[in-house]
Amino acid sequence: MGVMRLGYAHVRVTDMAEAKDHYANTMGLYETLSDVSPEGANRTFYKAWDEWDHHSVVLEEGGVGLVKYGWKVQYESDIDDIERKAQTFGVTVERMSKGENPEIGDGIRFTTPSDHVFEVYHDATLIGTEVGTHNPDAFPRHLVGVGVPALDHSLITAEDPGMMDRFLTEVFDFYATERVQTSLDDDADIIATWMTSNNQIHQLAVLAGPQGKLHHFAFRLGDWTEVGRAADLFSMDDVPIDVGPTRHGITRGQTVYFFDPSGNRNEVFAGGYLAYPDRPVSVWTPEKLGKGVFYHARELNDAFTSVLT
């Protein structure tokens, strides 16, 4: 099937101690490794309780914003297939070797038309979920903080979201579930796109904006009650809440947006509907974008689209 999921988000943080407190004690991620990068930066690797691979979040000390994404493919041969497709699209691809990323196998690396670095791999060290696979319980007995079960998706910005829509379609075999575009016409300009390769409502969304920027990366929760509980915990831990709890019109998901101590925007996300390639794309026009993003308030605040890292 090619790309199965967003395997990891690797982001920069200004202060590792503060970041570790946020991601471990507030979000409830499990530290799997702490090391120093070849360039001399402190790094910490995390997984969530219902993830089985070695890590899904990497923190690197020194600045803010996205370093790169890792995308896990189903078969080793998918790496070669994506390499050919990326080269055909006009992207320069380089090979990466096992161990360049701790506990990640051979793969490829390239910079997308949006100036984001993507890595594609198949092998990752299997750790297992916190409840195991032998008569597993529904969740770990001693969750910490929010206790997020998994990394879910991310949103980036690009000067040409339409080109990224084409890139993800042609190279990753993604399909769009929802779009914001200038009109309902087929040749309309795309302002934002939500894309996936499976039944997940979106794995990556792209919004018109500066090249190479991160809007947010999100963690999955089970339902509206868990989203509300997360918001309560953010208040307890003095986490700056950006927006929410509320619902999206686009994707129908329930959400809270908030910031880590470095200013990287996070999200907890629940709900949404099942995506299928043959489901007609939901199209939103600019005058309804406020309702599409924040279904209850029905308006956007300027900071939501302008604060990026």
Side-chain angles (χ1 to χ4, degrees):
M1 72 174 286
V3 174
M4 292 191 294
R5 64 179 176 273
L6 176 59
Y8 51 83
H10 184 153
V11 298
R12 295 183 182 89
V13 296
T14 54
D15 185 295
M16 185 61 77
E18 290 181 346
K20 290 176 72 169
D21 182 58
H22 173 78
Y23 287 100
N25 296 326
T26 298
M27 303 310 298
L29 298 178
Y30 294 78
E31 182 177 332
T32 58
L33 177 68
S34 182
D35 75 353
V36 177
S37 73
E39 295 75 28
N42 293 323
R43 298 186 301 191
T44 306
F45 296 71
Y46 289 100
K47 67 178 287 292
W49 72 259
D50 206 24
E51 296 172 331
W52 45 95
D53 285 345
H54 181 269
H55 60 268
S56 63
V57 173
V58 184
L59 307 180
E60 180 175 320
E61 195 168 37
V64 294
L66 185 71
V67 177
K68 58 191 177 183
Y69 292 117
W71 299 93
K72 190 174 186 182
V73 295
Q74 186 171 9
Y75 303 109
E76 196 79 42
S77 60
D78 291 327
I79 297 173
D80 296 331
D81 184 46
I82 290 173
E83 180 179 36
R84 287 192 297 269
K85 290 176 179 177
Q87 290 171 335
T88 299
F89 199 91
V91 169
T92 300
V93 181
E94 65 180 53
R95 285 277 166 167
M96 67 180 194
S97 301
K98 181 178 180 179
E100 286 187 41
N101 295 295
E103 312 300 331
I104 299 296
D106 295 337
I108 57 174
R109 179 185 300 114
F110 52 84
T111 300
T112 68
S114 60
D115 290 340
H116 295 86
V117 176
F118 283 9
E119 294 179 336
V120 178
Y121 65 97
H122 168 67
D123 291 321
T125 299
L126 176 66
I127 289 181
T129 72
E130 297 304 309
V131 296
T133 55
H134 183 207
N135 302 323
D137 286 318
F139 55 86
R141 183 177 296 273
H142 301 294
L143 289 174
V144 175
V146 179
V148 294
L151 180 69
D152 191 76
H153 68 267
S154 190
L155 189 155
I156 58 177
T157 60
E159 291 177 356
D160 189 345
M163 180 178 288
M164 277 301 291
D165 188 295
R166 294 191 298 275
F167 176 82
L168 292 167
T169 299
E170 296 177 20
V171 178
F172 274 9
D173 291 328
F174 276 22
Y175 63 94
T177 56
E178 309 222 15
R179 291 191 183 110
V180 178
Q181 56 191 56
T182 51
S183 72
L184 299 180
D185 298 333
D186 292 338
D187 60 351
D189 290 332
I190 294 174
I191 299 170
T193 183
W194 285 255
M195 305 195 73
T196 190
S197 65
N198 53 31
N199 293 132
Q200 186 179 341
I201 185 59
H202 63 315
Q203 295 170 281
L204 187 68
V206 185
L207 174 69
Q211 290 282 97
K213 292 296 186 179
L214 171 69
H215 185 275
H216 72 269
F217 61 100
F219 298 96
R220 184 180 314 145
L221 288 178
D223 56 30
W224 181 254
T225 301
E226 292 183 8
V227 171
R229 177 180 176 273
D232 290 340
L233 286 164
F234 299 151
S235 186
M236 292 178 191
D237 289 352
D238 295 322
V239 173
I241 292 178
D242 185 23
V243 180
T246 188
R247 175 190 287 276
H248 292 307
I250 298 168
T251 75
R252 303 181 194 160
Q254 294 111 26
T255 177
V256 180
Y257 289 98
F258 52 100
F259 294 100
D260 76 7
S262 301
N264 296 304
R265 186 185 281 104
N266 296 165
E267 181 190 18
V268 287
F269 179 92
Y273 55 86
L274 288 177
Y276 292 94
D278 65 336
R279 181 188 176 100
V281 178
S282 295
V283 175
W284 297 76
T285 46
E287 73 276 6
K288 294 295 184 180
L289 182 56
K291 184 177 181 180
V293 177
F294 300 129
Y295 192 67
H296 298 155
R298 291 169 288 174
E299 60 182 18
L300 287 174
N301 62 65
D302 291 338
F304 186 74
T305 54
S306 63
V307 175
L308 309 166
T309 55

